[in-house]
Amino acid sequence: MTAAPVTPRWDAQRGFDELGRPLHDVTFCVVDLETTGGSVADGDMITEIGAVKVRGGEVLGEFQTLVNPHTSIPAFIAVLTGITNGMVADAPPIGAALPAFLEFAAGSVLVAHNARFDVGFLRHFAREQDIVWPDFEVLDTVKLARHVVTRDEAPNHKLSSLARVFRAGTTPNHRALADARATVDVLHGLMERLGGLGVHTLEELQGYSSKVAGAARRKRHLAEHLPHAPGVYLFRDDSSRVLYVGTSRDLRRRVRSYFTASERRTRIGEMVQIASSVSAVECATPLEASVRELRLIAEHKPPYNRRSRHPEKVTWLKLTREPWPRLSLVKRVLDDDADYLGPFSSRAAAESSLAALHEVFPIRQCNDRFGRQPRRSACVLAEMDRCLAPCDGSVDPQTYAAVVRQLRDTLLTRPDDVVDLVHARMSALAAEERFEEAAHHRDRLADFVRAAARNQRLTALTGCPEVVAARREEDGRWAVHVVRHGRLAAAGVIPAGTDAVAYVDGLRASAETVLPAIGPTPAASAEESERILRWLESPGVRLVEVVGEWACPVRGAGRHATAYVPTAPASTLGP
């Protein structure tokens, strides 16, 4: 057994675009087998494994071993491959050879000419030897060649034919390592040819098909003027109407992928047919790109974007300020000193949270306006002991006010009363095997708890006039963001060799002026503030400056947010 590993060189950043890995950064392990026959189902065995590991056109290492099949090699196979019984008599068995190969191939994309055969044999013997098969991605040069090499160039897609087409440096001879070397040259030839058709990532290579509409392929020039930088791209039609808005860490690479077979969404394919131009907004950081994407979608409401088009269509749960306060659902926050919970993107989720609160707090549910001393008949809720009935004088103002104070504390700081009572009811219903009713209460509780947790997190950030934070990115530079009242006001990356303090001071001075919104409403959309929060809470972020107080209640709803998750969607504001 021989193995000649070469130390990998990581001079390029891998995975730069979230939707595509550049081919020159991908490590391929090209493998070939020799066997005693064509089917493991017939008891055929492996007699030789050969592999070549490559990246960026450079050979990183080679692997070759004969394998003792513990059975006689058929004469015609020995003539074809040159591998005789005597040659494999002292070779390691598959139980030793296969782990060595898997160690060599670890972390690579497997490549084979007719991968179904080679990888099929390897997987079979891994199962037989109780060896865990790694989750390899697999690329088949036969399948790829059928889309690239025409009958005019080669009579078939056998390895020997393709080796001649691409002038391989090694002639295939039915020995595993030689055939693997020839397959490497075929792979590089295919990649070089497809590079001119806009295929530059592993995902594009895996999904390449000659069936991509010619009209779509001819539009790949629309991406050529875009930079290799983070930002937002906008597809437009002939009248400059925005059709679709997206974001990427690499604008050119991402937009180019729309014109290859890696893009398989029917709606987006339809959009590409209509599009006549692509514009872009280059951004300093991925977070800035993500935020600008939200703002542009909300502004243009592109027909091919499904999400985030209507951030204004939200619902709030309001605890009113009046002699006999009540809970109500409203569309906007007013400067009326009332308490609000939300926003909810779904009215159904808001109604679910409202029902959870009414289960615990028997305040009035009617929409009437009462004076300090109302004189009316009580409704059926009073008869069911679900309302204190201030309408007929059944409760004094002090008792009612105490319940409202407890409700306000639940909304703003501690949801424990609602959690404990609803959980007790869920347990009682489950004990009676009334599981559907228990699940209904669970979903109500989940809606409320997640809304309360979100509200507390958003309110905490919204209340800060300014938060400045930084994080070291993969390239070693520091990304800096200035957030004011929950809105991204500035973003930048500190250039190498620049005084960091002076740079941050300049970024703050040039940042957008942001005025606080009314009540708990962020100065941006709730979705924007949530994306900012996720970045602020991500590993490696350092707070540079916090103006104001940024804190959530210690015993707040966040403690319960992951404990009661509904099985069916019931979110208040999903991305």
Side-chain angles (χ1 to χ4, degrees), residues 7-200:
T7 304
R9 298 184 305 162
W10 296 96
D11 12 79
Q13 179 182 340
R14 299 199 308 172
F16 184 63
D17 191 287
E18 68 274 22
L19 291 176
R21 288 161 286 176
L23 288 172
H24 59 75
D25 289 343
V26 177
T27 301
F28 296 99
C29 181
V30 182
V31 61
D32 187 82
L33 306 180
E34 299 305 328
T35 65
T36 61
S39 173
V40 291
D42 295 335
D44 292 320
M45 305 293 288
I46 296 174
T47 58
E48 186 179 33
I49 303 174
V52 181
K53 190 185 294 186
V54 295
R55 183 175 64 241
E58 178 183 351
V59 175
L60 303 180
E62 292 186 339
F63 177 96
Q64 186 274 332
T65 180
L66 290 169
V67 180
N68 189 338
H70 293 291
T71 187
S72 179
I73 299 175
F76 76 94
I77 294 292
V79 171
L80 179 68
T81 65
I83 300 174
T84 65
N85 290 319
M87 293 172 61
V88 299
D90 295 326
I94 190 62
L98 183 54
F101 166 72
L102 293 178
E103 182 180 356
F104 174 79
S108 304
V109 174
L110 286 188
V111 180
H113 199 71
N114 190 9
R116 183 178 180 181
F117 175 85
D118 297 278
V119 177
F121 262 84
L122 293 170
R123 289 177 66 95
H124 169 79
F125 285 107
R127 287 193 300 270
E128 192 174 82
Q129 299 292 323
D130 289 326
I131 298 172
V132 176
W133 180 259
D135 188 21
F136 285 117
E137 293 179 272
V138 178
L139 191 65
D140 192 335
T141 50
V142 167
K143 292 183 178 179
L144 201 57
R146 287 172 183 157
H147 294 301
V148 178
V149 180
T150 67
R151 292 289 183 180
D152 294 335
E153 296 177 277
N156 53 52
H157 297 104
K158 293 180 179 180
L159 181 59
S160 56
S161 300
L162 295 175
R164 286 192 293 271
V165 170
F166 293 109
R167 299 180 181 179
T170 302
T171 300
N173 61 1
H174 296 291
R175 289 300 300 270
L177 183 57
D179 287 5
R181 289 170 175 166
T183 305
V184 168
D185 290 336
V186 170
L187 174 66
H188 287 157
L190 293 169
M191 289 167 55
E192 182 179 359
R193 185 172 293 190
L194 290 172
L197 298 176
V199 176
H200 299 282

Side-chain angles (χ1 to χ4, degrees), residues 48-364:
E48 186 179 33
I49 303 174
V52 181
K53 190 185 294 186
V54 295
R55 183 175 64 241
E58 178 183 351
V59 175
L60 303 180
E62 292 186 339
F63 177 96
Q64 186 274 332
T65 180
L66 290 169
V67 180
N68 189 338
H70 293 291
T71 187
S72 179
I73 299 175
F76 76 94
I77 294 292
V79 171
L80 179 68
T81 65
I83 300 174
T84 65
N85 290 319
M87 293 172 61
V88 299
D90 295 326
I94 190 62
L98 183 54
F101 166 72
L102 293 178
E103 182 180 356
F104 174 79
S108 304
V109 174
L110 286 188
V111 180
H113 199 71
N114 190 9
R116 183 178 180 181
F117 175 85
D118 297 278
V119 177
F121 262 84
L122 293 170
R123 289 177 66 95
H124 169 79
F125 285 107
R127 287 193 300 270
E128 192 174 82
Q129 299 292 323
D130 289 326
I131 298 172
V132 176
W133 180 259
D135 188 21
F136 285 117
E137 293 179 272
V138 178
L139 191 65
D140 192 335
T141 50
V142 167
K143 292 183 178 179
L144 201 57
R146 287 172 183 157
H147 294 301
V148 178
V149 180
T150 67
R151 292 289 183 180
D152 294 335
E153 296 177 277
N156 53 52
H157 297 104
K158 293 180 179 180
L159 181 59
S160 56
S161 300
L162 295 175
R164 286 192 293 271
V165 170
F166 293 109
R167 299 180 181 179
T170 302
T171 300
N173 61 1
H174 296 291
R175 289 300 300 270
L177 183 57
D179 287 5
R181 289 170 175 166
T183 305
V184 168
D185 290 336
V186 170
L187 174 66
H188 287 157
L190 293 169
M191 289 167 55
E192 182 179 359
R193 185 172 293 190
L194 290 172
L197 298 176
V199 176
H200 299 282
T201 69
L202 176 62
E203 288 71 20
E204 291 170 348
L205 188 64
Q206 290 169 325
Y208 179 80
S209 169
S210 59
K211 297 178 182 179
V212 176
R217 195 183 301 283
R218 284 192 295 272
K219 289 187 177 183
R220 65 182 183 271
H221 69 278
L222 297 179
E224 296 309 311
H225 70 285
L226 302 178
H228 287 292
V232 182
Y233 54 88
L234 300 88
F235 280 86
R236 299 176 183 269
D237 63 12
D238 290 333
S239 61
S240 293
R241 179 179 62 128
V242 175
L243 300 171
Y244 183 79
V245 176
T247 182
S248 175
R249 290 175 177 265
D250 187 321
L251 288 166
R252 183 185 296 182
R253 184 175 293 122
R254 179 66 186 107
V255 172
R256 188 187 289 150
S257 73
Y258 284 89
F259 311 115
T260 68
S262 62
E263 180 51 70
R264 301 178 183 180
R265 293 170 291 176
T266 302
R267 278 174 52 84
I268 298 302
E270 177 184 298
M271 181 275 296
V272 170
Q273 297 295 324
I274 300 172
S276 61
S277 65
V278 182
S279 59
V281 179
E282 190 171 341
C283 299
T285 68
L287 176 61
E288 182 190 4
S290 177
V291 166
R292 287 190 180 274
E293 177 192 34
L294 287 176
R295 295 178 186 176
L296 287 167
I297 291 174
E299 177 186 352
H300 295 286
K301 297 181 174 32
Y304 289 93
N305 283 95
R306 293 183 182 274
R307 299 178 179 179
S308 310
R309 291 197 299 170
H310 299 284
E312 70 282 359
K313 291 185 178 180
V314 296
T315 302
W316 295 82
L317 198 159
K318 175 180 180 179
L319 178 60
T320 62
R321 287 280 187 175
E322 52 186 311
W324 304 95
R326 59 190 173 86
L327 291 168
S328 67
L329 300 181
V330 297
K331 289 296 185 182
R332 59 194 181 97
V333 174
L334 302 176
D335 189 10
D336 57 0
D337 203 30
D339 297 299
Y340 292 86
L341 178 69
F344 298 84
S345 62
S346 160
R347 186 175 179 87
E351 291 173 344
S352 180
S353 297
L354 178 64
L357 291 167
H358 278 150
E359 282 190 53
V360 181
F361 300 101
I363 64 172
R364 68 188 184 95

